[in-house]
Amino acid sequence: MAITPEEHRRRLGRLGEDAAAAELERRGYRLVTRNYHCRGGEADLVADDGETLVFVEVKARGSLAHGLPRDAVGWTKQQRLGRAAEHYCHRHEIDDRPLRFDVVEVVLLNGEVAAVEVIVDAFVPEG
């Protein structure tokens, strides 16, 4: 039985997220949570990097035909990550830590991780 395109996309996304988490941990980040959702916002990963709380958007692509994965993190996605950060900090009563927004791009070729790039301090959401 063939898998649906949606299921294939979910599998690639999970593979990309796992690769991103492994790379961040290799770099010394401590993962706090995965897939944090709130109304109007979401963060793929939340991690500690020393004193800084990092909200991470993971973008995985199986082809570079439409550009680098980071190219898909536009204004709307940045604002959604910003809302998630605001909600997370409010919910966990965090008001005294520096925050940062990183993007991890993962290139997958033939279902395998070909490259992982961490873009530190990739953007600052508006508001």
Side-chain angles (χ1 to χ4, degrees):
M1 181 171 150
I3 64 171
T4 66
E6 178 65 23
E7 187 176 332
H8 178 70
R9 187 180 68 76
R10 254 186 270 126
R11 284 183 185 178
L12 288 180
R14 182 65 179 179
L15 181 61
E17 191 175 289
D18 289 346
E23 178 62 19
L24 292 175
E25 287 179 324
R26 187 189 73 73
R27 290 175 179 231
Y29 291 54
R30 187 181 66 79
L31 291 179
V32 176
T33 192
R34 286 180 141 189
N35 300 309
Y36 183 79
H37 292 272
C38 66
R39 184 180 183 132
E42 63 181 290
D44 294 324
L45 303 170
V46 180
D48 289 320
D49 184 21
E51 293 299 313
T52 303
L53 187 61
V54 184
F55 293 86
V56 181
E57 176 65 24
V58 178
K59 277 298 174 192
R61 285 197 173 163
S63 162
L64 298 179
H66 299 289
L68 294 170
R70 72 182 83 180
D71 297 337
V73 184
W75 184 86
T76 300
K77 182 61 80 173
Q78 292 174 17
Q79 299 319 298
R80 289 180 60 80
L81 191 58
R83 281 192 292 277
E86 185 177 318
H87 186 271
Y88 184 92
C89 290
H90 179 74
R91 183 175 185 193
H92 292 90
E93 299 179 356
I94 298 168
D95 59 5
D96 60 346
R97 290 186 68 187
L99 304 180
R100 191 175 77 221
F101 298 88
D102 292 0
V103 172
V104 178
E105 63 177 11
V106 181
V107 177
L108 305 165
L109 299 176
N110 300 318
E112 299 289 326
V113 176
V116 179
E117 178 77 22
V118 179
I119 301 133
V120 176
D121 206 14
F123 61 87
V124 177
E126 293 178 11

